[in-house]
Amino acid sequence: MSDHLKTAITPPTHTVPPAKFSHGVRKGNILQVAGQVGFLPAVAGQAPTPAGPTLREQTLQTLANVEAVLTAGGASWEDVVMVRVYLTDTAHFAELNDLYNAYFADLEQPPAARTTVYVGLPAGLLIEIDALAVLG
């Protein structure tokens, strides 16, 4: 990839975004993953479907969706320097931390910086996560 061009990243598991944005953008050694939610991998002709109603189901699928964009952009969790988590309910914070710690238990590099904020998301969605990776 050329250092001066922006490249849109859309993994095969994702649909074309519903608005004018990219699931990920890479420019040089920087990869920004847009906010991902807990939708199951895309099925042509079907509306996106949440992985389930629980925070656990949605968090694990959301992390898998972020990872899919990272991989499609030539990165991994080892390259991530910043993660932003958006929760709809403050009561989910402790459970999120447990899931997050377990998911990244085997990470070899120091963990990424993280911010968690509380927001409104479309009905049924409990979590959104974005990530910033620096490669090389």
Side-chain angles (χ1 to χ4, degrees), residues 81-100:
V81 296
M82 182 67 195
V83 173
R84 284 171 293 267
V85 177
Y86 308 91
L87 289 173
T88 60
D89 188 339
T90 58
H92 289 158
F93 189 71
E95 183 181 0
L96 165 70
N97 281 338
D98 290 344
L99 293 164
Y100 194 90

Side-chain angles (χ1 to χ4, degrees), residues 43-59:
V43 176
Q46 292 184 12
T49 305
T54 69
L55 181 68
R56 175 178 171 62
E57 292 166 311
Q58 289 190 27
T59 298

Side-chain angles (χ1 to χ4, degrees), residues 2-23:
S2 175
D3 283 347
H4 65 283
L5 297 176
K6 284 194 313 188
T7 303
I9 308 296
T10 301
T13 54
H14 288 53
T15 59
V16 174
K20 193 160 179 68
F21 68 88
S22 301
H23 288 292

Side-chain angles (χ1 to χ4, degrees), residues 42-131:
V43 176
Q46 292 184 12
T49 305
T54 69
L55 181 68
R56 175 178 171 62
E57 292 166 311
Q58 289 190 27
T59 298
L60 295 177
Q61 186 62 54
T62 299
L63 289 165
N65 292 343
V66 171
E67 187 169 345
V69 179
L70 289 169
T71 300
S76 74
W77 286 111
E78 300 288 345
D79 300 307
V80 174
V81 296
M82 182 67 195
V83 173
R84 284 171 293 267
V85 177
Y86 308 91
L87 289 173
T88 60
D89 188 339
T90 58
H92 289 158
F93 189 71
E95 183 181 0
L96 165 70
N97 281 338
D98 290 344
L99 293 164
Y100 194 90
N101 290 341
Y103 190 86
F104 292 111
D106 297 330
L107 198 65
E108 294 180 15
Q109 298 287 325
R114 188 182 104 186
T115 298
T116 303
V117 296
Y118 300 96
V119 299
L121 291 173
L125 294 176
L126 304 174
I127 187 167
E128 182 172 346
I129 298 174
D130 69 38

